Amino acid sequence: MVSVAKRADVLELFHPAVAEWFRASFAAPTPPQQQGWPAIARGESTLILAPTGSGKTLTAFLWAINRAMFPPSPTLKVHRAPADTAAKLPGARVLYISPLKALAVDVERNLRSPIAGIANRAAARGDAFHLPSVAVRTGDTPAAERARFQRDPADILITTPESLYLLLTSNAREALRSIDTVIIDEIHALVPTKRGAHLALSLERLHAITAAPPQRIGLSATQRPLDEVARFLGGSDPGSDRGQTGVRPGSDRGQTRVRPG
């Protein structure tokens, strides 16, 4: 378990525009966010067990969004205002895997609000930023959108275990070589099943083609036993130096949004 960061300090991990957006949108970080963000920011693979409504998805995504929007690369052309055009790092950066197609579509929709809100904060501050693109790849994705991803990969790719397998066996796998973060939602639904075994193989294939082992983040409200789920998340490389942290907050308090007066 990670030590609990002070509520006032945990947002200091992020770019000021990200912290400002969060403070304007929510009353305070929830326990999984307080405990999860320090481990995620250190690059450790992290397993988060927390109730529904506690902000698990934002816990997993916010640091990835922070890295994608405010990259350290001095050669990257970035936005000075939301209307500007910009080049982006080649290839996808973040891979989100859901066992449910409907959940994948919901996450894609829900990501647009924080990305737009943070972009507005950064523009108001005069900060340079890159506006991340988001794509969904499932069995229902039209051929034109699949071809577009191969030509111009989105920064964040939302997919299912089966579609990830198809990506890795096609020319589109070249767009996955730059993945640095893998988020697996509802991981408890995959671990004991054939789909989970299939996904474990796909994650190792992804590991084999990326420049560095991607950070893995697992999310669930009901995962048991934790040790077994953690082994599934961590992968098969016993010699890996990939750090791994489990977060299991004791509070069931949900995420509270700030309501303008």
Side-chain angles (χ1 to χ4, degrees):
M1 303 290 286
V2 297
S3 59
V4 179
K6 292 182 180 179
R7 181 177 302 172
D9 295 338
V10 70
L11 291 173
E12 293 179 4
L13 295 167
F14 296 91
H15 187 278
V18 179
E20 287 181 11
W21 168 80
F22 188 92
R23 291 187 182 104
S25 302
F26 302 101
T30 61
Q33 291 163 355
Q34 293 174 30
Q35 298 180 42
W37 281 333
I40 293 170
R42 290 193 298 268
E44 298 175 3
S45 287
T46 306
L47 179 61
I48 297 178
L49 169 64
T52 300
S54 60
K56 292 190 302 296
T57 303
L58 189 59
T59 304
F61 266 113
L62 196 59
W63 183 252
I65 292 172
N66 183 90
R67 291 178 63 193
M69 294 190 73
F70 306 101
S73 172
T75 62
L76 182 68
K77 296 179 181 178
V78 292
H79 287 67
R80 286 293 178 179
D84 292 345
T85 58
K88 66 183 180 68
L89 291 169
R93 299 281 304 279
V94 182
L95 178 66
Y96 169 90
I97 303 168
S98 167
L100 305 173
K101 285 194 294 184
L103 181 58
V105 173
D106 286 344
V107 167
E108 186 267 342
R109 187 183 304 117
N110 292 338
L111 274 180
R112 299 193 182 280
S113 176
I115 289 173
I118 294 166
N120 289 338
R121 290 278 171 174
R125 290 171 48 88
D127 296 335
F129 67 95
H130 165 64
L131 191 64
S133 53
V134 182
V136 176
R137 176 68 179 267
T138 69
D140 298 330
T141 302
E145 291 186 21
R146 299 182 189 195
R148 185 183 305 117
F149 177 80
Q150 188 169 334
R151 292 192 311 270
D152 184 23
D155 298 280
I156 301 171
L157 176 63
I158 297 169
T159 191
T160 61
E162 292 76 17
S163 291
L164 174 60
Y165 168 79
L166 294 175
L167 283 164
L168 288 166
T169 55
S170 71
N171 290 335
R173 67 180 174 273
E174 295 302 316
L176 303 180
R177 292 185 181 275
S178 51
I179 291 290
D180 55 41
T181 304
V182 177
I183 300 169
I184 308 173
D185 207 348
E186 302 294 337
I187 192 171
H188 68 277
L190 293 166
V191 172
T193 67
K194 291 181 179 179
R195 292 182 78 198
H198 201 256
L199 175 60
L201 291 173
S202 292
L203 291 174
E204 295 308 315
R205 295 179 70 180
L206 177 66
H207 183 158
I209 66 171
T210 52
Q215 180 182 28
R216 302 185 186 188
I217 303 172
L219 307 175
S220 176
T222 59
Q223 50 198 322
R224 298 288 191 282
L226 281 177
D227 288 348
E228 183 175 339
V229 178
R231 284 193 293 271
F232 176 92
L233 179 67
S236 66
D237 185 0
S240 172
D241 60 0
R242 183 192 303 140
Q244 194 171 82
T245 297
V247 174
R248 185 181 182 183
S251 171
D252 61 357
R253 183 179 58 203
Q255 187 91 65
T256 303
R257 285 189 172 272
V258 172
R259 291 185 173 86

